[in-house]
Structures are given as structure tokens and as C-alpha cells.
Amino acid sequence: MTLPDSLTVLDHPLIRHKLHLLRDVSTPSKLFREVVMELTMLMTYEVTRDLDEKEVEVRTPLETFTARRLGGPELVVVPILRAGLGMVEGVLRLLPHALVGHVGLSRDEESLQPVEYYFNLPPDPEERRFLVVDPMLATGGSASAAVAGLRSRGATRVSLMCLVAAPEGVRALAEAHPEVPVFAAALDRELNDQGFILPGLGDAGDRLYGTR
Ligand code: PRP
């Protein structure tokens, strides 16, 4: 079955290399956190390809030159707690002036439905651009709820960056929010009966923080 055009899989040898380390069950939390950060940096380079720019005059040591720099309001990175937190630093290394909003969602392990427990955004969401980050797009319930929460608070420009996506989650998100571009490091095969991505990398939150 075809997948929505909203999905971009960032195919690159470095991305595949970092991802194989995350998939490996023997990778300990310390290395897992470092690799999530590095992978997020690599992905941020592509995900921010269409950021607004403006022209500025700069004086090089030799002459004056019209250069381009980032323009418009700062990007807002929005991690879905808790696993999304592992991706924030990778974005901030490249965009140190980005703001960080937080969306607290946990997945009810029986119904697989997301439950919202925290939501915090900077003022004037309608003027900003949001990048929701979460390592896993499984059923798509958490991402859809996060986007719905952002939209109900006035956000109009929202993208999602995840590490591993399941086809089911990509379709569910595109059905609920077709306007949201989704960037993934990999598109995996399927979900299992417990809503885990196969082959996946396990529970990203547990692996990042060593707790359940
Ligand atoms: C995981 C993951 C996503 C969500 C994906 O979070 O980090 O947020 O599940 O699943 P979905 O697409 O089916 O909604 P989890 O609920 O395990 O919480 P955690 O981040 O605190 O580990």
C-alpha cells in the first residue's frame, strides 16, 4: 500500500550507521543518548532546509557582501515527553536560539491511546514554526494528539521529526493532519500487537533513561 507524500525518509549512510547503533539491543543508555543526539543533528540539517532567510550586508575583510542569514521568528522544538527530550539537544546544537515547548503524553499500554499530562508553549504560537520531535511514530496516536494540541493553541506551521516510523503511524497522522510534513530516519515494517515498531529499537524512552 502506498504511503502519504507527507513522509520523507532521510536516506543517508551516516543516518543509517547511527540508526544501526540504536537498534542494537546491546547499546547502553550512555551511547544511546549520544547517538540520538548525533542522529538528530544530521536530520536537523535536512529538516530545516526551508527555514526562512533574510538578506544582510556583511563586510568581509575585502569588501561588502549581501549574505543570507536565518530570518523570521525562532523555531520552536517541541519534544513529546519523555523520549522526545533525547532529541532536543541535537536540534539546539545547530539552532541555539530555538525555543523549546513541551508536550507531556504517555501511551496507555492497554488502549494504546495517548494521555496528555503537560503542555507548555511560548507565546504567539500562530506566528511561529514548530518542530515536534519524538523518536517513535508507532500508532501515530501521540504525534496526532501533540499536533492537535498545538493547533488548538493556534499553531499553524508544524512538522514532525522522528527516528523510526511505522507505516501505520505515518498513515494515521496523515489522515488526521495531512498538512504536517513527517521526517524519519527509517520507515520500519509494521507494528506488533502491543503497538511496538518492528524491527524498531525497543522503547526509546526506556533505552534513553534506563527506567521504565
Ligand atoms: C512512546 C514514544 C512515542 C509513543 C509512540 O512513548 O516515545 O511518544 O510511544 O507511540 P504511538 O505512535 O503509538 O503514540 P511512551 O508512551 O512509551 O512514553 P515515554 O516517551 O515516556 O517512554
Side-chain angles (χ1 to χ4, degrees), residues 147-166:
V147 173
L150 283 165
R151 293 189 65 88
S152 72
R153 288 161 175 90
T156 55
R157 300 169 81 189
V158 183
S159 306
L160 173 77
M161 171 163 57
C162 61
L163 303 185
V164 179

Side-chain angles (χ1 to χ4, degrees), residues 80-83 106-107 134 136-142 203 205:
I80 300 180
L81 306 180
R82 54 189 173 141
S106 61
R107 189 166 64 154
D134 190 330
M136 317 299 290
L137 179 63
T139 65
S142 304
D203 184 311

Side-chain angles (χ1 to χ4, degrees), residues 13-30:
L14 285 177
I15 288 181
R16 284 192 288 273
H17 178 78
K18 302 289 178 194
L19 196 54
H20 105 279
L21 293 167
L22 298 184
R23 291 192 191 279
D24 188 337
V25 68
S26 68
T27 298
S29 288
K30 177 178 183 292

